[in-house]
Amino acid sequence: MSFEWPWQYNFPPFFTLQPNVDTRQKQLAAWCSLALSYCRHHKLYTLDVLEAQESPVFNNKKIERKLSMEAIQVVFEELRKKGKFIPFIWNLEWLDKNKSRCLVMWRRPEEWGKLMYQWVSREDLIFMISVSRNGMVNAVFTLYELSNGDDTEGEEFHGLEEWMLLRSLQALQAEGKAEIITMDDGKGVKFF
Amino acid sequence: MHRRGVGAGAIAKKKLAEASISTLLDICIFCKVELALMSCSSLFIQAKYKERGTVIAEDQIAQMSKQLETFKSNLEEFASKHKQEIRKNSQFRVQFQEMCATIGVDPLASGKGFWSEMLGVGDFYYELGVQIIEVCLALKHRNGGLITLDELHHRVLKGRGKYAQDVSQDDLMRAIKKLKVMGNGFGMIPVGGSYLVQSVPAELNMDHTVVLQLAEKKGYVTVSEIKDGLKWERERACHVLDHLLKEGLAWLDSQAAGEPQYWLPALFSELTSRDVSPEEANQMTP
């Protein structure tokens, strides 16, 4: 499925930060929404502002307009603030003080955890799962298996970056649905 | 005070003076009578005319009320016969409206009364008015409250569905005129061969209107285009453009080659056919 650009993407002034406060607010809301859906579509989890500048999302070659680095930072900052005020919708975290790299959470760790738990609980996976005495799901995976294994191919969380994978599992752990364990060759997880 | 005695000479003089005064008075009186007579006769003539006039006028009024009565009953008959047609056919509606206008009747003046009851014409336009407001509100976040009549038409038709009565741009304009009653929010700005419909109470004067007209073809306008096209001073052009930015009607593009361009989403042709996506709708609520 090809990515569908919003109408603003072809509207030249969209790439200039607007002087009017109200208009700018609309503009930033549209940018946040575009940046997130672009990341979701291309499964991007970590963004580098310098690299982002050259990415098609912030650089429309057809109309020869691009969002400046400062403007990209404003958009990202807006995304971060939004997550703070509307929890569980989306979020963004800066990785450094200079705000040159960031983590984008177009899906919350809790939601990722839920998706993984649903996958583990599927019936056709039962052969991999030993059912514990109280009848609960009980399965062990390495982190690599979960994000890059053949079994998860085609699942949405396939290819999830490790930092996000860990956070999702931590969220599950907090709910008592999983436990992160140390295995010989790294980390693993036990689902309950 | 002591009065001096009066001499014979003085008496003679006085007599003469008195005589001449009385002659003068006589003449005056004669003239007056003459004048009075004249005005009397003219009054008489006037009265005659008036009398005659009244008779004629009465005749005419009687005749006219008779005509009007016939006309009204004919129109009622026509209306009830063609009610469906008026509601369904937009061409027909235009002609009906024009016919009403020539006799000085506004079928939309009130929701009650003969016209709306007979024809449902009022209902038709009130319904349309609501649909117009809906479309304008739904797109306000995009265009700042300015929309081309074409786009509005397209969207209203879409909203009404396939089986609703056809709606012409003439209908839209009539409905918008009625919306003006609710305040100074709604207005129409002529641009090119069509109109821009304004749904927010932004203060737009002639200068703004002319600049909008200039921007109509390309969707944007620049300071030098205004200077060249309208022979304005730079300050005047900047002033108008700043105002359009301030009202949220224009967006600034500072990456354009040469000089900044001022874009009007309402005139951005690529936007006309785009529906509001759910994501876009979400952005509207901050």
Side-chain angles (χ1 to χ4, degrees), chain B residues 40-89:
Chain B
C40 248
S41 72
S42 94
L43 265 178
F44 177 74
I45 294 163
Q46 265 180 13
K48 266 280 185 209
Y49 272 129
K50 214 171 173 184
E51 202 178 304
R52 188 76 199 121
T54 319
V55 173
I56 292 171
E58 269 168 5
D59 274 0
Q60 274 180 343
I61 287 168
Q63 215 175 344
M64 268 164 68
S65 9
K66 210 170 140 194
Q67 275 177 351
L68 203 66
E69 205 53 46
T70 327
F71 173 75
K72 205 180 159 194
S73 74
N74 278 341
L75 198 59
E76 276 178 39
E77 194 190 321
F78 170 87
S80 59
K81 233 195 227 168
H82 298 280
K83 188 175 169 180
Q84 281 313 97
E85 198 85 19
I86 289 170
R87 288 190 62 104
K88 264 201 317 220
N89 187 337

Side-chain angles (χ1 to χ4, degrees), chain B residues 71-132:
Chain B
F71 173 75
K72 205 180 159 194
S73 74
N74 278 341
L75 198 59
E76 276 178 39
E77 194 190 321
F78 170 87
S80 59
K81 233 195 227 168
H82 298 280
K83 188 175 169 180
Q84 281 313 97
E85 198 85 19
I86 289 170
R87 288 190 62 104
K88 264 201 317 220
N89 187 337
S90 58
Q91 197 84 38
F92 204 93
R93 217 153 37 231
V94 176
Q95 278 168 9
F96 177 75
Q97 289 277 6
E98 276 168 5
M99 189 171 81
C100 288
T102 22
I103 56 163
V105 169
D106 182 2
L108 297 178
S110 150
K112 293 195 184 103
F114 161 70
W115 297 103
S116 2
E117 274 162 29
M118 281 304 264
L119 303 169
V121 171
D123 292 346
F124 172 85
Y125 285 102
Y126 300 136
E127 186 186 296
L128 197 56
V130 173
Q131 285 162 345
I132 288 170

Side-chain angles (χ1 to χ4, degrees), chain B residues 216-230:
Chain B
E216 194 240 346
K217 275 201 190 97
K218 290 190 290 184
Y220 69 85
V221 69
T222 67
V223 172
S224 36
E225 273 171 14
I226 296 177
K227 268 170 65 186
D228 298 345
L230 302 173

Side-chain angles (χ1 to χ4, degrees), chain A residues 4-8 10-16 18-20 23 26-27 29-30 33 37 40 64-66, chain B residues 140-142 144 245-248 250-256 261 263-265 268 270-271 274 279-280 283:
Chain A
E4 201 184 315
W5 298 100
W7 69 268
Q8 290 99 331
N10 290 315
F11 188 55
F14 189 50
F15 292 80
T16 298
Q18 291 305 303
N20 177 327
T23 311
K26 287 183 206 164
Q27 182 189 22
S33 164
S37 51
R40 188 183 300 131
E64 295 178 326
R65 296 289 185 280
K66 60 202 274 183
Chain B
K140 207 181 115 193
H141 69 285
R142 270 188 189 176
L245 283 182
K246 204 186 100 222
E247 293 287 355
W251 286 52
L252 175 70
D253 174 21
S254 55
Q255 292 176 51
Q261 295 173 348
W263 285 77
L264 291 125
F268 186 53
E270 269 185 62
L271 191 48
R274 281 267 199 147
E279 269 180 10
E280 200 183 334
Q283 294 161 20

Side-chain angles (χ1 to χ4, degrees), chain A residues 8-99:
Chain A
Q8 290 99 331
Y9 187 66
N10 290 315
F11 188 55
F14 189 50
F15 292 80
T16 298
L17 269 187
Q18 291 305 303
N20 177 327
V21 185
D22 292 336
T23 311
R24 182 196 278 234
Q25 229 157 27
K26 287 183 206 164
Q27 182 189 22
L28 286 180
W31 266 119
C32 286
S33 164
L34 170 58
L36 269 187
S37 51
Y38 186 81
C39 287
R40 188 183 300 131
H41 189 262
H42 294 278
K43 299 209 164 193
L44 303 173
Y45 305 97
T46 315
L47 288 180
D48 183 295
V49 176
L50 264 179
E51 279 171 29
Q53 232 187 335
E54 295 309 314
S55 142
V57 65
F58 296 119
N59 185 354
N60 186 340
K61 293 218 165 75
K62 201 183 96 200
I63 60 166
E64 295 178 326
R65 296 289 185 280
K66 60 202 274 183
L67 207 59
S68 70
M69 208 169 113
E70 295 74 34
I72 293 176
Q73 276 177 332
V74 172
V75 170
F76 284 179
E77 191 58 25
E78 181 77 8
L79 259 180
R80 191 185 65 79
K81 278 194 259 168
K82 260 193 171 164
K84 211 166 159 189
F85 293 121
I86 316 168
F88 311 120
I89 294 191
W90 55 55
N91 214 337
L92 179 141
E93 275 176 35
W94 292 109
L95 285 171
D96 57 346
K97 267 191 188 160
N98 296 334
K99 298 182 177 175

Side-chain angles (χ1 to χ4, degrees), chain B residues 132-133 135-137 139-140 143-150 152 172-173 175-177 179-180 182-191 194-206 208-209 212 243-244 247-249 264 266:
Chain B
I132 288 170
I133 294 174
V135 169
C136 288
L137 277 183
L139 293 172
K140 207 181 115 193
N143 52 32
L146 213 54
I147 190 171
T148 56
L149 190 61
D150 284 338
L152 181 66
L172 286 179
M173 281 161 70
I176 290 164
K177 273 180 198 144
L179 288 175
K180 279 188 193 160
M182 302 202 300
N184 61 349
F186 269 86
M188 279 185 291
I189 303 162
V191 286
S194 184
Y195 287 90
L196 273 175
V197 178
Q198 185 194 350
S199 60
V200 287
E203 291 283 333
L204 297 181
N205 60 28
M206 265 318 284
H208 305 124
T209 308
L212 287 177
H243 184 79
L244 292 178
E247 293 287 355
L249 297 174
L264 291 125

Side-chain angles (χ1 to χ4, degrees), chain B residues 20-37:
Chain B
S20 61
I21 285 172
S22 80
T23 330
L24 210 73
L25 272 176
D26 280 351
I27 294 169
C28 278
I29 289 163
F30 176 76
C31 284
K32 254 195 182 157
V33 170
E34 191 74 344
L35 269 171
L37 272 176

